[in-house]
């Protein structure tokens, strides 16, 4: 029997989990020691935990691609030393970071688990204790290895690029509407490893290029052509995500289609993502999406907005001079972020 203790790297980036109140009562991120003070149990596990933190600890509302690169670089540099990684992160943008990391790590063979909390660890009723301990157990588990980027929150383990923050109030703050949870923590943690991504054959490759010259245009009844045109004409725009109604529908007014056509003529990639939390874009199901399909808007299937934003930035960053490749890969599932049978891509 292998008696070697598994090793996990705990990376602290900020968020409520490690926050304390300042003089005004507002919550501010604090340093890593705070976590150990509030959770001395961490010193007593049967696996080895090493920890580190980002140079700058942030409220995740300040998250940018530069921080995603910092987190990925820490993991990449220490990848061979550890069996798994836990990233403590603010809940507000955790689903974006989980999605971004999922794209950055090609051929990931170890678990990367993001978690956080709704109440700071120092508070009596904090949900952070459970979340951290379970995330560490999952990342250090010898029996089941889930080789992907995930979010653990309030008893559920979700695929990171399928997750969305759904509550600013409840402890079960995350959900994954279009893909089942990968594990459930009760008395034991029951893994559904058949739902996880397969162990890769190739070598790990970490890609760190992002292009954030994109915009999200959320449609609403009564949206004006001035607003749409202003967004479409944003200087330097490379990609536009249109958050559409239902199964990918949008106004059929000529001014609207003309505005999207103008974007496409300027080589801006246009991606159709539904505002619905569950279900998928089906271009051409209604007449209200036929024109978009005709002019070359790409359908986002059942992708989350968080995965759509990060995937677009990632692809634009990695294929700066090849929009055809960006379009091709946007329509395919790279890391299980979309439910498309038999269409996984090798990038
Ligand atoms: N504002 C916090 C953050 O995202 C909220 C949290 O951690 O729950 O950093």
């Amino acid at each position: 029997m292998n008696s070697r203790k598994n090793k996990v790297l705990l990376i602290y980036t900020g968020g409520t989990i490690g926050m304390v109140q300042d003089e005004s009562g507002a919550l501010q991120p604090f340093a890593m020691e705070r976590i150990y003070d509030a959770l001395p149990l961490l010193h007593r596990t049967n696996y080895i935990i090493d920890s580190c933190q980002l140079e700058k600890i942030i409220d995740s509302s300040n998250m940018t691609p530069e921080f995603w690169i910092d987190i990925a670089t820490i993991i990449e540099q220490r990848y061979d030393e550890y069996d798994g990684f836990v990233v403590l992160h603010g809940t507000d943008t955790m689903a974006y970071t989980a999605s971004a990391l999922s794209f950055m790590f090609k051929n990931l063979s170890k678990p990367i688990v993001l978690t956080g909390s709704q109440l700071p660890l120092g508070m009596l009723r904090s949900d952070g204790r459970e979340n951290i301990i379970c995330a560490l157990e999952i990342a250090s588990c010898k029996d089941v290895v889930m080789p992907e980027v995930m979010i653990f929150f309030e008893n559920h383990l979700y695929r990171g690029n399928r997750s969305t923050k759904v509550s600013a109030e409840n402890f079960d703050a995350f959900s994954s509407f279009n893909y089942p949870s990968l594990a459930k923590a009760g008395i034991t943690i029951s893994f559904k490893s058949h739902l996880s991504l397969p162990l890769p054959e190739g070598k790990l490759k970490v890609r760190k290029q992002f292009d954030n010259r994109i915009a999200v245009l959320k449609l609403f009844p009564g949206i004006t052509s001035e607003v749409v045109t202003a967004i479409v004409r944003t200087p330097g725009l490379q990609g536009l995500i249109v958050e559409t109604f239902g199964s990918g529908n949008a106004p059929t007014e000529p001014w609207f289609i003309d505005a999207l056509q103008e974007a496409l003529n300027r080589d801006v990639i246009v991606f159709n993502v539904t505002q619905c939390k569950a279900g998928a874009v089906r271009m051409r199901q209604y007449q209200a999406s036929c024109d978009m399909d005709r002019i070359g808007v790409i359908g986002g299937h059942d992708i989350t907005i968080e995965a759509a934003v990060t995937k677009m930035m990632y692809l634009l960053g990695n294929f700066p001079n090849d929009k055809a490749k960006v379009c091709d890969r946007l329509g395919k599932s790279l890391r299980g972020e979309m439910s498309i049978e038999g269409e996984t891509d090798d990038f």
Side-chain angles (χ1 to χ4, degrees), residues 13-19 27 29 58-62 89-94 116-119 153 165 167-168 173-174:
T13 69
T16 296
I17 198 148
M19 282 185 180
L27 288 168
I58 55 164
D59 183 299
S60 77
S61 320
N62 287 314
H89 195 288
T91 57
D92 290 346
T93 63
M94 191 186 292
S117 68
Q118 293 283 57
L119 283 177
F153 224 88
K165 181 172 178 179
S167 177
F174 285 85

Side-chain angles (χ1 to χ4, degrees), residues 75 79 83-86 98 101-103 105-114 138-139 144-152 157-163 176 179-183 192-200 335-337:
I75 297 174
Y79 191 73
D83 300 285
F85 302 85
V86 171
L101 291 174
S102 78
F103 297 121
F105 283 84
K106 167 82 183 155
N107 292 332
L108 184 67
S109 60
K110 299 181 179 185
I112 300 177
V113 188
L114 282 80
I138 291 163
V144 187
V145 178
M146 311 284 263
E148 55 178 294
V149 180
M150 297 162 285
I151 288 183
F152 181 86
L157 182 68
Y158 300 112
R159 175 167 295 162
N161 58 32
R162 294 290 194 142
S163 311
S176 165
Y179 200 74
S181 70
L182 301 176
K192 297 178 210 145
S193 36
H194 60 286
L195 294 173
S196 181
L197 294 174
L199 266 172
R335 308 280 185 269
E337 74 281 10

